[in-house]
């Protein structure tokens, strides 16, 4: 059963690169399906696959990796609300917004998009979320909307009390969160995929491109480009960020959110600068806007990242903190983390390096460590609006509303001083 014909078929139909799911995974899936269908050998199962698209779908179900959970990389949802849709929908709730979760797997990502917007007071009727995945099984589970422990990871689970009802076998998502979300089965490589869907203001396409080889990644990105509104924002997984840059997207400048925009829009925003300068478009204005107020030095990166691999030590020495931060935004998170630690060892505690470590911990769902770093920043730089903003959001997510209000108050005082 080690024949490559099964792997070739899966590559052709769904873009799966056999190497991405580990040696033997396709072979095991084929063997399981062959036994399930009661067929004697690989040739008989191959013949069935040629004759039955339903069986092809069953084989797909057996090889997909549906790993997902609520608020996976919370920075992305926060940035989507704070820097992209929140300001717009609060200013004009009638403006509406269209969001896409592709792939949505069992639905956690799409429901999280809804919760993130609702958390900031946006009414569910002012946005809609399409959620698509190749796995019919995953879509059925998403529609059922009842989740076990594995979907709730980390310690910041206060949202579960607000948006779910406890059931004997898990937690059922409440109707108000379901209302704006619509699930559909779909394969990004199917001819005419979402041809009538129009464009989306926000697309989450996280942790799918990593399963494709390079030509298929390019093909999938072309589909995403078509589905993304000209001023839309595309969120990818952290290991996919470098790829987006290679494909001509530009960072939307949202720390650790791995958010991108289409290049032409960014080109229009590009300020006249030296040949190697890159300007990250600043986030749009927001009510909380901690990022919008970040020092200009963190927005304008004056050196491009090196093309040659370098040791962490030399990176910390030769690149400034803004470059380390950019590296983290590009998905080179571990390198950036080591770089920030080296920077602190060599230069002493620095608010910007500590803030970066806070953002990295926050993105990894390590709320306690993130809060520790944010507080260290505030010890050294009590008016640091970015640390204040992120700490307030973190406390709110943990259900510490009194603590969050105190930080909000500090932030307002800080704003008063600035204006
Ligand atoms: C690891 S999950 C990612 C879920 C979610 N976006 C996240 O980051 O948590 C990958 C999903 O990609 C889906 N997938 C794989 N190939 C696909 C394709 N060709 N079209 C649509 N979905 C696909 C799988 O079914 C699986 O549910």
């Amino acid at each position: 059963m080690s024949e490559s014909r099964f792997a070739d078929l899966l590559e052709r139909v769904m873009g799966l690169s056999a190497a991405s799911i580990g040696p033997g995974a396709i072979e095991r899936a084929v063997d399981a399906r062959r036994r399930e269908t009661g067929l004697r050998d690989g040739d008989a199962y191959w013949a069935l696959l040629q004759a039955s698209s339903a069986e092809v779908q069953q084989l797909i179900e057996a090889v997909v990796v549906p790993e997902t959970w609520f608020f996976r990389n919370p920075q992305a949802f926060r940035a989507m609300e704070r820097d992209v849709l929140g300001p717009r929908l609060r200013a004009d709730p009638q403006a509406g917004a269209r969001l896409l979760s592709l792939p949505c797997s069992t639905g956690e990502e799409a429901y999280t998009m809804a919760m993130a917007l609702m958390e900031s007071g946006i009414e569910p009727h002012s946005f809609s979320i399409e959620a698509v995945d190749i796995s019919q099984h995953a879509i059925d589970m998403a529609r059922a909307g009842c989740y076990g422990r594995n979907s709730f990871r980390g310690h910041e689970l206060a949202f579960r009390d607000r948006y779910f009802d406890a059931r004997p076998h898990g937690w059922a998502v409440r109707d108000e969160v379901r209302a704006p979300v619509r699930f559909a089965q779909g394969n990004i490589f199917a001819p005419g995929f979402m041809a009538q869907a129009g464009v989306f203001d926000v697309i989450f396409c996280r942790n799918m491109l990593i399963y494709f080889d390079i030509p298929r990644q390019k093909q999938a990105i072309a589909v995403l480009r078509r589905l993304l509104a000209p001023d839309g924002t595309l969120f990818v997984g952290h290991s996919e960020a470098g790829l987006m840059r290679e494909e001509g997207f530009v960072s939307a400048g949202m720390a650790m959110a791995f958010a991108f925009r289409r290049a032409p829009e960014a080109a229009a925003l590009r300020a006249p600068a030296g040949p190697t300068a890159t300007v990250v478009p600043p986030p749009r204005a927001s009510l909380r806007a901690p990022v919008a107020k970040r020092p200009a030095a963190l927005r304008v990166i004056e050196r491009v990242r090196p093309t040659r691999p370098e040791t962490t030590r030399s990176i910390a020495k030769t690149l400034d903190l803004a470059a380390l931060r950019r590296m983290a935004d590009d998905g080179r998170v571990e390198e950036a983390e080591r770089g920030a630690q080296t920077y602190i060892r060599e230069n002493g505690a620095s608010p910007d390096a500590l803030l970066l470590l806070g953002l990295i911990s926050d993105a990894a769902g390590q709320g306690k460590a993130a809060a520790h770093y944010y507080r260290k920043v505030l010890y050294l730089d009590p008016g640091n609006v970015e640390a204040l903003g992120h700490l307030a959001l973190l406390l709110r997510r943990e259900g510490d509303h009194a603590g969050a209000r105190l930080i909000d108050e500090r932030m307002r005082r800080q704003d008063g001083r600035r204006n």
Side-chain angles (χ1 to χ4, degrees):
M1 281 281 212
S2 62
E3 306 122 295
S4 63
R5 56 185 164 171
F6 297 105
D8 291 346
L9 174 98
L10 288 167
E11 197 282 331
R12 203 169 57 247
V13 176
M14 64 176 292
L16 180 69
S17 149
S20 72
I21 55 169
I26 292 181
E27 203 175 324
R28 282 192 297 277
V30 167
D31 201 41
R33 285 307 306 157
R34 180 191 59 73
R35 279 186 275 110
E36 184 78 14
T37 50
L39 294 170
R40 205 167 5 103
D41 58 24
D43 284 344
Y45 184 62
W46 179 251
L48 176 62
L49 284 173
Q50 304 311 300
S52 163
S53 57
E55 185 52 39
V56 173
Q57 181 65 28
Q58 289 304 324
L59 184 58
I60 289 172
E61 301 286 347
V63 292
V64 291
V65 181
E67 179 81 352
T68 188
W69 59 94
F70 291 108
F71 285 98
R72 181 179 194 175
N73 181 16
Q75 301 281 359
F77 298 99
R78 209 169 306 155
M80 182 268 291
E81 178 276 309
R82 183 191 57 212
D83 300 328
V84 183
L85 295 183
R88 169 171 143 185
L89 291 175
R90 269 189 290 268
D92 178 9
Q94 305 307 319
R98 302 190 71 223
L99 297 85
L100 173 65
S101 166
L102 164 67
C104 65
S105 186
T106 38
E108 287 89 330
E109 184 176 85
Y111 289 135
T112 303
M113 290 156 100
M115 287 186 281
L117 292 173
M118 290 162 69
E119 280 287 90
S120 69
I122 294 165
E123 296 289 336
H125 59 74
S126 53
F127 59 90
S128 66
I129 301 170
E130 305 286 325
V132 179
D133 197 281
I134 197 170
S135 164
Q136 184 62 55
H137 177 67
I139 294 296
D140 292 344
M141 292 196 39
R143 286 191 180 127
C146 197
Y147 295 95
R149 234 166 251 296
N150 210 26
S151 298
F152 301 93
R153 304 190 192 177
H155 300 291
E156 297 150 29
L157 297 178
F159 71 90
R160 193 168 63 191
D161 299 330
R162 291 196 286 281
Y163 298 108
F164 292 79
D165 293 315
R167 295 272 190 266
H169 301 295
W171 288 266
V173 67
R174 293 202 181 133
D175 285 348
E176 69 261 32
V177 181
R178 284 168 181 275
V181 188
R182 217 171 58 189
F183 291 102
Q185 190 268 340
N187 174 0
I188 193 168
F189 298 116
F193 174 75
M194 296 191 84
Q196 310 299 323
V199 292
F200 293 87
D201 303 296
V202 164
I203 298 179
F204 272 60
C205 180
R206 305 190 308 167
N207 307 304
M208 175 176 71
L209 299 172
I210 45 172
Y211 295 106
F212 304 154
D213 59 18
I214 293 169
R216 290 314 200 118
Q217 285 174 335
K218 286 178 186 291
Q219 205 180 329
I221 290 170
V223 174
L224 295 172
R225 199 177 270 117
R226 158 167 68 78
L227 291 171
L228 187 66
D231 62 346
T233 310
L234 171 63
F235 292 84
V236 295
H238 71 85
S239 21
E240 296 157 335
L243 174 67
M244 299 314 296
R245 211 173 274 287
E246 280 162 26
E247 287 301 302
F249 281 77
V250 287
S251 168
M254 300 167 195
M256 298 294 297
F258 315 118
F260 291 85
R261 298 220 168 97
R262 288 157 64 138
E265 190 207 13
L269 289 168
R270 197 167 294 143
T276 57
T278 303
V279 177
V280 178
R284 294 168 194 189
S286 107
L287 291 182
R288 293 187 195 129
V291 176
K293 289 176 191 249
R294 83 166 89 128
L298 287 181
R299 270 185 261 136
V300 182
I301 314 295
E302 270 143 12
R303 269 169 271 178
V304 288
R305 70 188 161 101
T307 47
R308 277 180 297 109
E310 293 188 57
T311 63
T312 304
R313 193 179 169 80
S314 67
I315 285 168
K317 269 197 164 162
T318 57
L319 297 182
D320 57 21
L321 279 167
L324 285 174
R325 185 159 166 160
R326 173 67 162 258
M327 188 184 285
D329 291 349
D330 274 358
R332 298 158 69 195
V333 177
E334 283 162 19
E335 247 175 293
E337 186 175 15
R338 284 197 301 273
Q341 279 158 351
T342 306
Y343 186 95
I344 290 171
R345 264 199 311 281
E346 291 181 355
N347 302 288
S350 127
D352 286 339
L354 289 164
L355 180 63
L356 177 57
L357 290 173
L359 291 168
I360 289 172
S361 305
D362 211 349
Q366 295 158 356
K368 224 168 163 182
H372 167 79
Y373 283 125
Y374 294 149
R375 288 192 196 282
K376 269 186 153 176
V377 173
L378 293 170
Y379 178 74
L380 295 172
D381 175 14
N384 190 306
V385 283
E386 203 170 354
L388 286 168
H390 285 290
L391 183 57
L393 291 166
L394 179 62
L395 294 176
R396 198 159 275 125
R397 230 171 57 237
E398 283 176 337
D400 180 359
H401 291 276
R405 270 197 300 278
L406 282 176
I407 302 289
D408 285 346
E409 185 49 41
R410 255 176 93 171
M411 202 150 65
R412 262 192 296 280
R413 281 202 303 272
Q414 198 57 35
D415 275 353
R417 255 176 237 144
R418 277 160 188 256
N419 297 333

